[in-house]
Amino acid sequence: QVQLVESGGGLVQPGGPLRLSCAASGTIFRIYTMGWYRQAPGKQRELVAIISRDGLTDYADSVKGRFTISRDNAKRTVYLQMNSLKPEDTAVYYCKFTTPLTYWGQGTQVTVSS
């Protein structure tokens, strides 16, 4: 059974950094895209960043220049480095792997507040 385990969420002051990780366990032949999504209270889940197996990336306009997605295929792990965090970045962050089956992590809370 495949599971995605996220870590790295927490409380951070505006302007600060935070790094999220998401690792897969279980039997997976090949992971294609890895991505990060977020859902703020009262809002729909939205794409934050996505990375292909070859390392091509795409970002939501709201995080471009502040967030960086990366992956380690050998470790089956995806990372999200978040810099210059803003209060509007507060949300539950979810990772998603496509194999081509789709797997979601359980979510990790990120709160940006002074």
Side-chain angles (χ1 to χ4, degrees):
Q1 184 176 356
V2 175
Q3 287 188 323
L4 305 187
V5 179
E6 297 144 344
S7 60
L11 173 64
V12 62
Q13 292 187 342
L18 208 57
R19 190 190 194 213
L20 305 182
S21 300
C22 174
S25 63
T27 301
I28 302 177
F29 176 66
R30 180 183 288 263
I31 302 172
Y32 292 100
T33 58
M34 297 179 173
W36 288 97
Y37 294 72
R38 67 186 180 187
Q39 187 167 17
K43 295 188 178 181
Q44 290 187 333
R45 191 174 297 188
E46 63 175 1
L47 173 68
V48 176
I50 194 166
I51 183 167
S52 72
R53 184 169 179 82
D54 297 330
L56 297 176
T57 60
D58 196 15
Y59 296 90
D61 288 343
S62 59
V63 307
K64 283 181 180 177
R66 300 188 297 122
F67 291 11
T68 302
I69 188 171
S70 60
R71 63 189 283 171
D72 185 327
N73 290 330
K75 294 182 178 179
R76 304 189 302 179
T77 300
V78 65
Y79 306 96
L80 186 68
Q81 178 66 45
M82 304 184 291
N83 297 327
S84 303
L85 281 161
K86 304 175 181 180
E88 50 263 45
D89 294 318
T90 296
V92 177
Y93 284 70
Y94 299 88
C95 60
K96 185 179 95 169
F97 287 8
T98 303
T99 71
L101 297 178
T102 298
Y103 299 97
W104 287 92
Q106 80 285 356
T108 185
Q109 177 69 46
V110 172
T111 302
V112 185
S113 175
S114 56

